Amino acid sequence: MNKFYNPVKVCQGYGAVKNLSEVIKELDIQRGNILFLIWNECIIENKDIKAVIAENSNIEFKTIIFTKSNPDTEDLFRLYMETKNEDFSLVVAIGGGSVMDMGKSLCCLYGNTINSEEELRQGIKGNAFVKPGCKWVGVPTTAGTGSEVTCWATVWNNIENSKLSLESKYNYAYAALADPQFASTMPVSLAVSSALDAAAHATEAYWAKTSNFISKTYSLRAISLIMNNIMDLFDEDRQEAAHNYMSRGSVFAGLAFSNTKTTACHSLSYPLTLKYHIPHGTAVSMLIEPVMKVNLEIVDGKEDLLSAYGVKSIDELGSKIKSILQYAGIPDRLHLWGAEREEIAELAVSCRTKGRIDNNPVDLSEETIVNILNSIF
């Protein structure tokens, strides 16, 4: 039985953020407060954002700048304490995955009384925050996370060196405004890393135990858009169109894994980001080839998957991803990020993230995980 659900209103393309005024009208927000959670103050100077604010002069817009990557429970608790009494009607998260994770998390926390970071941490672990106190809108400034069309948020638990997921089926964004104008200001290396993260999302949605024919259709389209156009990010004459293709690919990938979640690539990547500070998109992209070698023999439609990548074999795919990372100046091996060979066995123990590793089509033993990590050392 194939089932698919995603209620997010999607507007994609240059100028998509102009639709924010329409969203405010649809939600019948005539007075009160709206939170802009943004990654950089330049967002407020954007002409389209300024126009939205001017068109809604009856509403008070509060702006908070949040710049931290891989935010943890301390960051989320601080934001909650800073904003819990503002009675927001809407949260507009404008940034990368970290900003959107914080924005959607805040919506789930509003209306709850949380007295400490430890109480917050235990509440996330116990799925205590499932009824959002207000709606949110996602405006991605990168093209990779797909967070604008999913209902879960990553929050890192640095006390226990683990990843937490704040998840609620009621916390999909009201709207996703995927406007490539914001992503076009990224450094090329970040644009590449983000795009490969989206490709990983799509790949894992294709082979996940929870995959379905709609997710697979979105997955193949996402991978094809990204891989056929990613090198144009390096060409000034083609960059504008390339960013639009990356944006579309990211949305398709987000829709795909919004119904499947991710699998082993993401599960194995989390400790790499925590221990060696490897950017998430880079860490997960390094794992696509070796995990695919384990999975693909039992995956239906493997020829279609490889074709979407524009390759004929897994080895060719591995070489393609490595060449893209190298061309962008991104280290593509663990030892280049400071890893030591003797750390691999211990690292493998922390690679089994519940809800991700058990969603992989092949059960990975600790020995297999060690072999995968050694293959990218």
Side-chain angles (χ1 to χ4, degrees):
M1 177 69 70
N2 287 283
K3 296 181 180 180
F4 186 91
Y5 174 76
N6 192 298
V8 183
K9 176 179 181 177
V10 177
C11 301
Q12 189 283 326
Y14 284 100
V17 76
K18 295 177 183 178
N19 289 275
L20 183 55
S21 281
E22 178 185 334
V23 167
I24 292 171
K25 291 185 177 71
E26 289 175 355
L27 292 173
D28 197 27
I29 302 175
Q30 299 179 14
R31 61 185 62 84
N33 301 332
I34 292 178
L35 171 62
F36 272 148
L37 187 66
I38 62 176
W39 76 275
N40 190 290
E41 61 184 5
C42 69
I43 296 295
I44 295 301
E45 298 304 315
N46 177 273
K47 61 181 179 59
D48 292 332
I49 296 294
K50 292 175 77 170
V52 169
I53 293 173
E55 290 169 14
N56 295 276
S57 57
N58 54 318
I59 296 172
E60 182 175 343
F61 293 87
K62 179 180 177 67
T63 300
I64 293 180
I65 299 172
F66 186 83
T67 60
K68 185 175 178 181
S69 297
N70 305 317
D72 57 26
T73 51
E74 180 181 359
D75 300 308
L76 179 56
F77 183 67
R78 175 177 55 78
L79 283 175
Y80 163 75
M81 293 298 291
E82 184 177 348
T83 61
K84 65 177 182 175
N85 296 321
E86 296 284 353
D87 192 27
F88 290 116
S89 301
L90 180 69
V91 173
V92 181
I94 309 177
S98 295
V99 171
M100 283 188 283
D101 282 347
M102 290 293 98
K104 67 171 77 171
S105 296
L106 285 174
C107 290
C108 280
L109 301 186
Y110 292 150
N112 294 280
T113 300
I114 306 167
N115 297 307
S116 67
E117 182 188 345
E118 179 59 23
E119 192 174 325
L120 169 64
R121 191 180 299 112
Q122 294 305 320
I124 296 174
K125 288 182 177 181
N127 296 318
F129 311 121
V130 296
K131 294 185 178 180
C134 71
K135 296 184 182 299
W136 72 284
V137 170
V139 184
T141 60
T142 63
T145 69
S147 187
E148 67 275 12
V149 292
T150 65
C151 66
W152 51 78
T154 293
V155 184
W156 295 93
N157 178 3
N158 286 339
I159 301 298
E160 300 173 1
N161 288 320
S162 63
K163 168 194 162 292
L164 299 175
S165 184
L166 198 157
E167 180 177 346
S168 168
K169 64 181 181 180
Y170 306 107
N171 201 33
Y172 281 99
Y174 177 80
L177 310 179
D179 193 328
Q181 69 167 300
F182 295 110
S184 65
T185 62
M186 284 190 294
V188 173
S189 60
L190 179 56
V192 167
S193 177
S194 297
L196 290 175
D197 185 18
H201 287 148
T203 303
E204 293 176 90
Y206 191 84
W207 65 42
K209 288 181 179 178
T210 47
S211 188
N212 58 75
F213 82 99
I214 297 176
S215 284
K216 285 190 173 184
T217 300
Y218 283 144
S219 293
L220 296 177
R221 184 60 176 149
I223 294 167
S224 178
L225 281 168
I226 292 165
M227 300 308 290
N228 284 334
N229 297 283
I230 192 169
M231 293 305 293
D232 285 348
L233 290 170
F234 300 97
D235 186 334
E236 289 186 4
D237 293 332
R238 298 176 181 268
Q239 274 182 350
E240 183 174 340
H243 281 295
N244 196 33
Y245 285 125
M246 297 306 108
S247 173
R248 290 181 186 178
S250 179
V251 169
F252 276 125
L255 290 169
F257 91 99
S258 73
N259 275 237
T260 68
K261 297 187 178 178
T262 52
T263 65
C265 293
H266 273 70
S267 186
L268 271 63
S269 78
Y270 298 137
L272 305 184
T273 294
L274 273 172
K275 187 172 181 64
Y276 305 116
H277 307 290
I278 304 175
H280 172 69
T282 299
V284 77
S285 69
M286 291 162 60
L287 290 157
I288 294 174
E289 175 206 8
V291 173
M292 187 179 289
K293 284 183 175 178
V294 176
N295 287 343
L296 211 55
E297 286 305 313
I298 68 166
V299 173
D300 292 333
K302 59 184 178 182
E303 294 83 5
D304 292 334
L305 183 57
L306 291 172
S307 178
Y309 270 103
V311 298
K312 294 181 180 179
S313 70
I314 302 176
D315 287 336
E316 186 182 352
L317 171 59
S319 296
K320 187 170 186 175
I321 292 174
K322 289 173 186 174
S323 67
I324 292 170
L325 289 171
Q326 291 169 2
Y327 199 85
I330 301 172
D332 66 328
R333 310 293 291 178
L334 289 182
H335 75 271
L336 298 176
W337 290 95
E340 301 289 343
R341 180 77 74 177
E342 57 268 23
E343 297 171 334
I344 296 295
E346 182 179 349
L347 192 66
V349 176
S350 57
C351 284
R352 308 185 69 85
T353 302
K354 185 179 179 180
R356 302 297 182 268
I357 196 72
D358 47 328
N359 192 33
N360 200 64
V362 175
D363 293 332
L364 301 185
S365 66
E366 192 169 312
E367 181 183 0
T368 301
I369 293 174
V370 168
N371 290 337
I372 289 172
L373 295 177
N374 274 320
S375 74
I376 63 170
F377 182 80

